[in-house]
Amino acid sequence: MTGVTMLRQTDRSRLRRKRERGTHDSSAVSAILDQALVCHLGFVVDGRPVVIPTTFVRIEDSVYVHGAPANAALHAAEESGACLTATLLDGLVLARSAFHHSMNYRSVVLFGLPTRVEDPDEKREALLALVERMSPGRSGECRLPTDEELRATLVLRLPIDEGSAKIREGGPIDDEADLALPHWAGVIPLSLVRGVPVPD
Ligand SMILES: Cc1cc2nc3c(=O)[nH]c(=O)nc-3n(C[C@H](O)[C@H](O)[C@H](O)COP(=O)(O)OP(=O)(O)OC[C@H]3O[C@@H](n4cnc5c(N)ncnc54)[C@H](O)[C@@H]3O)c2cc1C
């Protein structure tokens, strides 16, 4: 990231529960955002919460999401403000007790007011960065967006300013009294892997 080293801790972004697992450090936030391919965008429509999964990309101190100009979610997010989350699931944590089962993860929560990207150069950069995430070098291996396609795409920028990251790692945290139980306990690692490409 460019300038910001710590994200703002506000009433809503301050980590309270298990806060030793959390951080407001921007480099930790960026590392998670750069690995996650999908985020969830939460906003308010007619006073009710809505959360939509979507792709995104981070460029420096901003996160970009995009959609059709008629995309209702993006319009609502522009109006109500948004909460964007990204989650990497690293493992299933099986404890000796049902109570202490858990998951290993790295997650980010961001808050802010997304704004519409009007500058065609910034728009193009964001859209090509999205393509690059799919496969590095890909923006040089496909037809670039035309001006018309750019106009037909709504791009929103959310500043990485107020938010947090949280990380759980390691094995189960069982109660002392349960450690002698005969049940298997440990971690089942999970990861998202690219398969063998299938040509069109
Ligand atoms: C894959 C996964 C599974 C989970 N499963 C459970 C579950 O089953 N039950 C459960 O109670 N919790 C679960 N959590 C943790 C959950 O995300 C919350 O951290 C936890 O529930 C505490 O919520 P809270 O509102 O009391 O936290 P608070 O500490 O009060 O939240 C205050 C602020 O801290 C930040 N924050 C909170 N959680 C996160 C986070 N995960 N990542 C980044 N910033 C965060 C946000 O800015 C939030 O507004 C899970 C997390 C992940 C990623």
Side-chain angles (χ1 to χ4, degrees):
M1 300 211 353
T2 48
V4 188
T5 55
M6 295 295 275
L7 273 62
R8 278 194 303 128
Q9 295 184 46
T10 60
D11 248 10
R12 59 182 177 178
S13 69
R14 186 170 297 109
L15 292 139
R16 297 178 181 86
R17 175 126 181 77
K18 300 226 182 253
R19 69 165 175 258
E20 68 284 1
R21 292 181 180 166
T23 176
H24 297 273
D25 183 288
S26 64
S27 52
V29 167
S30 294
I32 295 168
L33 292 174
D34 291 351
Q35 195 175 334
L37 290 171
V38 169
C39 71
H40 288 83
L41 191 64
F43 45 90
V44 177
V45 179
D46 296 333
R48 295 183 182 178
V50 180
V51 179
I52 296 285
T54 190
T55 57
F56 74 103
V57 67
R58 178 189 74 87
I59 302 177
E60 296 180 347
D61 298 335
S62 298
V63 165
Y64 293 86
V65 292
H66 79 298
N71 185 304
L74 298 183
H75 285 288
E78 264 185 307
E79 277 174 28
S80 73
C83 175
L84 182 148
T85 70
T87 306
L88 300 167
L89 199 49
D90 294 325
L92 303 173
V93 181
L94 277 55
R96 290 162 186 85
S97 65
F99 183 79
H100 285 298
H101 280 63
S102 188
M103 290 183 186
N104 281 341
Y105 60 80
R106 287 163 288 153
S107 57
V108 162
V109 175
L110 297 176
F111 299 100
L113 184 66
T115 51
R116 198 173 288 223
V117 176
E118 306 283 8
D119 175 25
D121 291 338
E122 185 181 356
K123 214 172 182 183
R124 195 182 299 271
E125 187 191 3
L127 295 174
L128 291 182
L130 274 166
V131 171
E132 281 291 312
R133 300 201 80 189
M134 298 220 174
S135 181
R138 190 67 193 159
S139 63
E141 297 167 345
C142 60
R143 179 179 65 69
L144 297 177
T146 62
D147 290 346
E148 194 178 328
E149 286 169 338
L150 275 189
R151 280 193 296 277
T153 311
L154 175 61
V155 178
L156 297 187
R157 178 199 324 105
L158 177 70
I160 302 175
D161 163 55
E162 180 188 358
S164 51
K166 203 165 175 181
I167 298 171
R168 192 210 187 274
E169 50 196 356
I173 305 172
D174 268 312
D175 296 338
E176 190 76 28
D178 290 337
L179 291 177
L181 290 174
H183 311 299
W184 189 90
V187 176
I188 301 173
L190 294 177
S191 60
L192 190 64
V193 292
R194 285 172 191 260
V196 179
V198 180
D200 180 46

